[in-house]
Amino acid sequence: AQSVTQLDSQVPVFEEAPVELRCNYSSSVSVYLFWYVQYPNQGLQLLLKYLSGSTLVKGINGFEAEFNKSQTSFHLRKPSVHISDTAEYFCAVTEETSGSRLTFGEGTQLTVNP
Amino acid sequence: DTGVSQDPRHKITKRGQNVTFRCDPISEHNRLYWYRQTLGQGPEFLTYFQNEAQLEKSRLLSDRFSAERPKGSFSTLEIQRTEQGDSAMYLCASSYEGWQETQYFGPGTRLLVL
């Protein structure tokens, strides 16, 4: 069965600093990986996804993530954050044998301070 | 494309009452999903439809929960005899057919059971 672990529940950073949000997954088969962002009282918005091909994936708002199969990781990075990046970030996985369900991590609250 | 919509956005009810939520997916999507998100947690899969057929249900979906998608378009999620533990955000998502397809989320319905 698939599972996702987000290693940091809260990440505070200063504006214009780089940030990395860590995600590890567990699966015995091929997986697709996603990062979603959730602003307060809103639904989830897709940031980026890894399906196949290049292991470095670029998404919206300047975010990127790198798929590392040997480390079973899919960490999210941004070189310089803005106040507006303050939100909850969720890593999610789906695998071929699980049908269409997404399995989410518990989320990382990114807080960008001035 | 107007995105996934959900109604109502907020619902307050008393324990023991029945509630029903509606989800309108992106029009060309034939898959529709329901997730539940409690405070501080990632979304958890409840069920999904392909067209009007309910293909998978989570063990989280107790007998008090029922979901329908009668004409393969909008879907309803009903909770009978609500309990305080049902308080959560109920998220709907839709996608094209296929386990690798991106799921697009609605804004959610926040339920509070008093």
Side-chain angles (χ1 to χ4, degrees):
Chain A
Q2 61 202 36
S3 66
V4 177
T5 302
Q6 291 185 241
L7 298 164
D8 306 293
S9 60
Q10 298 192 37
V11 174
V13 294
F14 288 109
E15 195 173 17
E16 298 183 6
V19 71
E20 178 180 81
L21 306 183
R22 297 180 293 167
C23 171
N24 285 91
Y25 69 92
S26 173
S27 174
S28 57
V29 298
S30 296
V31 296
Y32 285 160
L33 294 153
F34 303 82
W35 275 99
Y36 283 88
V37 60
Q38 186 175 36
Y39 298 101
N41 298 313
Q42 294 188 26
L44 282 76
Q45 180 182 1
L46 181 70
L47 272 179
L48 49 80
K49 60 185 178 183
Y50 173 77
L51 303 181
S52 63
S54 172
T55 58
L56 184 63
V57 181
K58 293 189 182 298
I60 63 171
N61 300 340
F63 284 93
E64 63 182 32
E66 185 155 19
F67 172 63
N68 187 321
K69 189 174 182 179
S70 62
Q71 300 289 325
T72 61
S73 67
F74 190 54
H75 300 334
L76 181 71
R77 302 187 183 100
K78 186 170 182 177
S80 176
V81 295
H82 303 289
I83 298 283
S84 59
D85 292 323
T86 295
E88 187 91 20
Y89 291 79
F90 292 97
C91 182
V93 63
T94 186
E95 60 183 22
E96 193 168 7
T97 56
S98 71
S100 286
R101 66 171 62 198
L102 280 171
T103 298
F104 287 87
E106 295 191 346
T108 297
Q109 173 64 44
L110 174 65
T111 302
V112 182
N113 298 302
Chain B
D1 179 2
T2 57
V4 179
S5 61
Q6 293 186 244
D7 184 70
R9 294 290 307 276
H10 304 274
K11 178 71 176 179
I12 300 174
T13 190
K14 293 182 180 179
R15 189 175 49 189
Q17 298 295 304
N18 300 341
V19 295
T20 300
F21 309 141
R22 176 180 169 126
C23 171
D24 286 89
I26 293 171
S27 58
E28 59 266 33
H29 287 172
N30 61 352
R31 285 198 171 173
L32 186 149
Y33 311 79
W34 287 99
Y35 291 84
R36 181 172 68 187
Q37 184 180 22
T38 53
L39 206 59
Q41 301 295 317
E44 295 175 295
F45 172 81
L46 292 178
T47 187
Y48 89 94
F49 294 82
Q50 182 164 306
N51 300 314
E52 65 275 10
Q54 190 173 16
L55 296 188
E56 188 176 354
K57 291 194 294 185
S58 164
R59 287 182 299 241
L60 293 175
L61 213 63
S62 76
D63 292 344
R64 297 184 297 105
F65 287 69
S66 62
E68 294 183 344
R69 195 183 183 198
K71 297 183 179 179
S73 56
F74 73 92
S75 175
T76 58
L77 177 68
E78 182 183 15
I79 309 175
Q80 296 182 327
R81 304 181 304 281
T82 52
E83 302 172 355
Q84 288 185 326
D86 297 330
S87 296
M89 174 82 90
Y90 291 84
L91 295 165
C92 176
S94 70
S95 77
Y96 293 107
E97 183 176 341
W99 68 276
Q100 72 277 28
E101 293 294 335
T102 298
Q103 296 181 26
Y104 294 89
F105 283 80
T109 294
R110 184 170 294 283
L111 172 66
L112 177 61
V113 181
L114 301 177

